[in-house]
Structure formats: structure tokens, C-alpha cells
């Protein structure tokens, strides 16, 4: 455990990773500020020193994970013409399931105040599913221009299907349920390979 008065490096990420482990292992109901700080091996008050309570912490965790996936989606523009279209799209879609994605989504749904904070941040421009969807549509359009995707493919529809399916699977998968990744891979292949 970190002693009192000693700076904890990367505190947000350390707490976020600890929260993910708690939720994946023990379920959303087990998440408390004490469970997070114990799992992180840091002072009990650290979470409240950096966040305005557990709901704010959960909201920031969700927003951070959305932002990471949005960054990965935006990087698709650098992948145009490289690897396979399906592999590039799969990497982005599957990133939503990294770090306990379904468990974290379930956690947000059990905390209405956190959900409200996430919605407010997204409405204010924080990157989320819309950002990911736009980046996927742009990427598919660029690949279509290169002839790597059939001309009949509609990029906005592919993006909506990928993001919508990922969202559905995040909201309907729980710890211990079958892994949804295989469904995402099949969907992406069906959408871009003719």
C-alpha cells in the first residue's frame, strides 16, 4: 500500500484498472470506493481525493474507456490500404470489450447518477459511440474508394451496424456469460466481405 503523503503515479488509471478487476471478478454490486482502493493497494481516501464520489468515478471510468476506443477508431484512417478491412474494424469493435467492457457497462447501468453524468458528457462532446461510428464510416468509405470494400457497401450503415451490435452486446453480456467477441468478428466479416 502507498503510504500517506506519497504521490501515487497515474492514480486515475490505477483506480480504473482496480475497479475493472473488482467488477469482473465480483460483479457490479461489489464495487465500493473501499473495494477499489484495496484492490489498487492505495490509501482508502484516494478515490474521494480525486473524484467527487463513486458515481463520478464510475462515469469517468466509462468516459475514459470510450475515449480510448474513439482514439483507436480515429486511427483507422492510418490503416487504409493496410492489413484487411475486417481485421482493422475488428480491432476497433473488440476494443470496446477490453478491460471488462461488458462488466463496466453493466456497472454504469446500475448507477443512475453515473449514467446521467456520462450522458451529459457525451452531449457536451466527449467521445463516445457517435465518434467511433463516424470514424468507422470514414474508414470504410476510404477503403471502398480503394476497391477493398465492394462498391455496394454503405459506409454509414456498416458503422451503425458495428457500433450498434457492440453496444447491444455490451448491454446484454454479463460476467460469466459467453464471450461476445466471436459474434462481433462474424458481423464485421459479413458486412465488409462480399
Amino acid at each position: 500500500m502507498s503510504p500517506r503523503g506519497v504521490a501515487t503515479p497515474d492514480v486515475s488509471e490505477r483506480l480504473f484498472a482496480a475497479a475493472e478487476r473488482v467488477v469482473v471478478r465480483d460483479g457490479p454490486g461489489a464495487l465500493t470506493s473501499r473495494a477499489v482502493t484495496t484492490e489498487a493497494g492505495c490509501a482508502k481516501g484516494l478515490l474521494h481525493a480525486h473524484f467527487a464520489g463513486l458515481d463520478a468515478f464510475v462515469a469517468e471510468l466509462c468516459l475514459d474507456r470510450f475515449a480510448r476506443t474513439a482514439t483507436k477508431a480515429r486511427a483507422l484512417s492510418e490503416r487504409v490500404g493496410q492489413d484487411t478491412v475486417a481485421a482493422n474494424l475488428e480491432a476497433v469493435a473488440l476494443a470496446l470489450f477490453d478491460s471488462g467492457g461488458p462488466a463496466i457497462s453493466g456497472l454504469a447501468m446500475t448507477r443512475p447518477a453515473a449514467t446521467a453524468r456520462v450522458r451529459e458528457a457525451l452531449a457536451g462532446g466527449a467521445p463516445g459511440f457517435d465518434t467511433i461510428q463516424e470514424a468507422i464510416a470514414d474508414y470504410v468509405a476510404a477503403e471502398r474508394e480503394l476497391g477493398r470494400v465492394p462498391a455496394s457497401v454503405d459506409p454509414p450503415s456498416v458503422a451503425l451496424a458495428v457500433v450498434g451490435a457492440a453496444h447491444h452486446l455490451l448491454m446484454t453480456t454479463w460476467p460469466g456469460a459467453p464471450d461476445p467477441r466471436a459474434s462481433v468478428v462474424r458481423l464485421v466479416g459479413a458486412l465488409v466481405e462480399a
Side-chain angles (χ1 to χ4, degrees):
M1 180 173 302
S2 300
R4 279 182 152 302
V6 175
T8 303
D10 300 323
V11 69
S12 292
E13 182 52 36
R14 186 173 177 181
L15 293 172
F16 290 163
E20 289 171 339
R21 290 190 302 272
V22 169
V23 172
V24 168
R25 183 184 62 233
D26 303 324
L31 192 78
T32 62
S33 57
R34 183 170 295 263
V36 172
T37 55
T38 298
E39 182 72 24
C42 56
K44 300 300 177 214
L46 190 64
L47 186 144
H48 292 284
H50 289 273
F51 298 94
L54 192 57
D55 287 325
F57 171 76
V58 169
E60 289 303 317
L61 169 58
C62 292
L63 290 167
D64 178 79
R65 295 329 191 216
F66 277 144
R68 284 179 178 211
T69 304
T71 297
K72 193 169 203 155
R74 287 185 192 117
L76 280 171
S77 63
E78 300 164 14
R79 304 283 310 150
V80 174
Q82 298 178 31
D83 204 352
T84 68
V85 175
N88 292 332
L89 289 176
E90 287 166 15
V92 170
L94 295 177
L96 288 164
F97 297 92
D98 291 344
S99 301
I104 298 305
S105 296
L107 173 63
M109 291 189 331
T110 66
R111 305 193 68 85
T115 300
R117 286 175 181 255
V118 169
R119 283 187 184 136
E120 183 178 298
L122 293 174
F129 284 118
D130 288 344
T131 305
I132 298 164
Q133 185 175 331
E134 181 179 304
I136 290 172
D138 291 346
Y139 168 74
V140 173
E143 292 286 20
R144 188 177 65 182
E145 288 295 314
L146 289 180
R148 290 174 25 106
V149 172
S152 61
V153 167
D154 178 53
S157 296
V158 169
L160 176 60
V162 170
V163 171
H167 184 263
H168 166 73
L169 292 168
L170 282 168
M171 295 297 131
T172 59
T173 303
W174 56 92
D179 191 338
R181 288 174 176 87
S183 296
V184 173
V185 170
R186 283 192 310 276
L187 173 68
V188 167
L191 291 169
V192 297
E193 296 170 358

